[in-house]
Amino acid sequence: MIVASTALRDLAILPWILLALLIMVDMATSLRRPGNLTVEAPPEIFVGETATLHLHLDRARANLNAKLDWPEGLSGRKEFEFNPGPDDTLETSVPFRAVRRGVWQLDHLWLFWDSRLKLLEFVPRLDLQAELRVVPNIRQVQSGEITTTVMSTLYGVKENRALGEGSEFHQLRDFVPGMDIKSIDWKRSARRRSLVAKELRAERNHHVIIALDNGYLMREEIGGLPKIDHAVTAALATAWAAAIGGDLVGYYSYDVRPRTFSAPAPGRNAFARLRNWTAELSYVSRETNHTLALTELNARTPKRSLIIVFTDFIDTTSAELLIENIGILTKRHLLIFVAIRDPELETLIETAPDDIDGAATLVAANQSINERRLVLERLARMGVTIVDAKPNSVTARLISTYLEIKAREMI
């Protein structure tokens, strides 16, 4: 009986011994340590745009999958597959989208593959140590589109327009029939004993202040990006247009209290400072104090300026202090109020509700849009220029408004 029991025990252990041997063979034939991992990424990515991360892996086996944990400011596929490349290498291209400004770290990459006999799964971790910098979007500035528009508008049409327009003296010209009689300089004509006319042009060197509200309401996402990023993109484009137009550009940010103020400065250096500053502008969750912020701005800008305010509000009640303080600014300055419209909210009110909850949502959306319209109408009656546009059109609308103000010499 003892011999039979021992034999049965040995037979019971035998499958486990065979399994252990299979695992060892499977591990020996399947385990291969990956070689060096090389990362290629653009040095800077514009917020809201898509870029590609290129990964190259030396001495790697085929059919290799990988997993990557994206940081908060980047969005992409978490799992992807490496494809065979030249010289016993694997490579892959991973598209991703920049959704937050800042410097974001990609620390580790996890590889995973099944063994040949499907008994094991290997999950090694490789150091990635990649740094991706997401910066404000200046695509329109780099393309030259804004430069061409401003130059053709202010320096093409303006320089060739009829004499007598504008407010800044440019030169004297002989008077010829067809010119405005009001352009004649009678004193110089008397000295020369022939009629001469004054040629005027649009005044330059105006002060333009970019005022950015960085409170919690500007963190609301519209079109996949926070409002503050849409505002920064439009602000940078307008600042470049103002620099090309010969004006002095300054900037100001605030939330619960004033944060940063830079006095208006000429040329492209002002734009470079503004770009660096907006790249480091953090996302905050503090409520905006419009009274303190706009009072401080009014005190810091004694000269009449064009102030472009990027802000947001919830309803007519919360906008009361905003309206009151903007009214104080309009006594000295010319204001552009930039409000970024939510296209999803407009789509919502155009869709018939299916149930009671949908009807309640529709009523709330209509009320929000009506209150927004009332606030903007009050501001317009105070002499504030309103730019109320969707994210994809706010930049063009704002630059067009700026050029119109320049053409009409309203500053």
Side-chain angles (χ1 to χ4, degrees):
M1 293 293 295
I2 296 175
V3 175
S5 176
T6 303
L8 290 174
R9 185 173 63 229
D10 292 341
L11 288 174
I13 294 175
L14 183 59
W16 295 103
I17 295 175
L18 292 175
L19 179 61
L21 290 174
L22 285 174
I23 291 176
M24 294 176 63
V25 172
D26 197 15
M27 179 178 294
T29 58
S30 303
L31 181 60
R32 184 181 180 185
R33 185 173 181 82
N36 295 327
L37 178 64
T38 306
V39 184
E40 296 178 7
E44 291 184 344
I45 307 103
F46 292 145
V47 65
E49 292 194 351
T50 300
T52 303
L53 188 70
H54 299 282
L55 303 174
H56 302 269
L57 196 58
D58 297 335
R59 302 188 308 278
R61 55 175 290 131
N63 301 323
L64 192 62
N65 296 319
K67 181 178 180 181
L68 183 63
D69 288 336
W70 297 97
E72 179 187 2
L74 306 173
S75 175
R77 286 186 299 162
K78 289 190 175 183
E79 294 187 6
F80 46 88
E81 183 179 357
F82 277 88
N83 302 310
D87 301 328
D88 194 27
T89 62
L90 292 179
E91 58 185 22
T92 187
S93 298
V94 186
F96 65 93
R97 187 169 185 266
V99 295
R100 293 287 189 278
R101 285 173 289 105
V103 179
W104 306 102
Q105 302 286 339
L106 296 175
D107 296 324
H108 305 291
L109 176 74
W110 284 266
L111 302 177
F112 57 96
W113 68 89
D114 294 329
S115 61
R116 294 181 184 275
L117 302 179
K118 308 297 182 182
L119 298 176
L120 301 171
E121 184 181 31
F122 300 95
V123 190
R125 188 182 75 174
L126 301 182
D127 290 333
L128 203 57
Q129 301 302 327
E131 183 178 275
L132 300 178
R133 182 177 176 85
V134 180
V135 298
N137 195 330
I138 57 168
R139 181 70 64 192
Q140 287 182 305
V141 173
Q142 289 185 338
S143 68
E145 177 184 350
I146 295 175
T147 302
T148 303
T149 301
V150 175
M151 295 289 285
S152 62
T153 302
L154 297 183
Y155 298 101
V157 177
K158 282 289 182 183
E159 294 296 336
N160 296 321
R161 64 186 178 178
L163 300 179
E165 298 180 12
S167 59
E168 184 179 272
F169 176 78
H170 180 46
Q171 62 183 2
L172 290 173
R173 289 184 55 186
D174 292 332
F175 182 83
V176 296
M179 287 186 176
D180 189 353
I181 296 178
K182 295 179 182 179
S183 67
I184 298 175
D185 188 328
W186 295 105
K187 290 184 178 180
R188 289 184 173 85
S189 297
R191 292 172 188 169
R192 294 185 56 181
R193 297 186 180 182
S194 63
L195 292 178
V196 293
K198 292 183 292 186
E199 183 176 326
L200 304 178
R201 65 181 180 186
E203 185 181 354
R204 303 174 187 176
N205 298 323
H206 296 297
H207 286 192
V208 178
I209 307 292
I210 305 293
L212 283 169
D213 172 10
N214 195 30
Y216 78 96
L217 289 178
M218 296 296 284
R219 291 196 63 178
E220 178 189 354
E221 285 197 5
I222 295 180
L225 287 177
K227 283 185 178 180
I228 186 63
D229 283 318
H230 293 299
V232 164
T233 299
L236 286 171
T238 308
W240 180 259
I244 295 298
D247 290 331
L248 283 66
V249 181
Y251 55 85
Y252 177 67
S253 71
Y254 61 95
D255 43 67
V256 70
R257 64 181 179 85
R259 296 293 175 182
T260 307
F261 178 81
S262 177
R268 301 183 181 184
N269 291 334
F271 174 81
R273 289 199 304 271
L274 177 61
R275 188 198 176 193
N276 292 334
W277 167 68
T278 53
E280 300 173 357
L281 193 65
S282 60
Y283 301 94
V284 302
S285 299
R286 295 181 286 264
E287 187 173 1
T288 301
N289 187 334
H290 292 290
T291 301
L292 180 61
L294 298 182
T295 301
E296 175 75 10
L297 178 59
N298 195 34
R300 284 179 173 269
T301 52
K303 181 180 177 180
R304 177 174 170 83
S305 307
L306 171 62
I307 299 179
I308 305 174
V309 180
F310 295 84
T311 187
D312 198 7
F313 55 89
I314 298 177
D315 50 35
T316 53
T317 303
S318 62
E320 283 299 328
L321 290 176
L322 172 63
I323 296 172
E324 179 181 343
N325 287 278
I326 283 184
I328 296 174
L329 280 176
T330 56
K331 295 178 181 179
R332 179 189 299 171
H333 306 288
L334 179 65
L335 263 73
I336 299 178
F337 186 92
V338 183
I340 301 174
R341 196 186 307 166
D342 188 353
E344 293 183 2
L345 193 62
E346 297 182 359
T347 302
L348 183 64
I349 65 172
E350 295 173 357
T351 305
D354 296 327
D355 49 28
I356 297 297
D357 291 338
T361 303
L362 178 62
V363 171
N366 268 308
Q367 182 178 356
S368 176
I369 290 178
N370 288 334
E371 291 192 352
R372 176 189 180 88
R373 178 178 51 80
L374 291 174
V375 171
L376 297 181
E377 286 178 353
R378 287 182 61 183
L379 290 173
R381 287 196 296 269
M382 294 164 53
V384 178
T385 302
I386 304 297
V387 174
D388 181 27
K390 297 178 181 178
N392 58 354
S393 61
V394 64
T395 299
R397 286 277 304 277
L398 182 55
I399 292 178
S400 176
T401 302
Y402 163 74
L403 293 176
E404 183 181 356
I405 288 173
K406 288 277 289 183
R408 295 172 61 187
E409 301 181 10
M410 297 171 61
I411 307 178

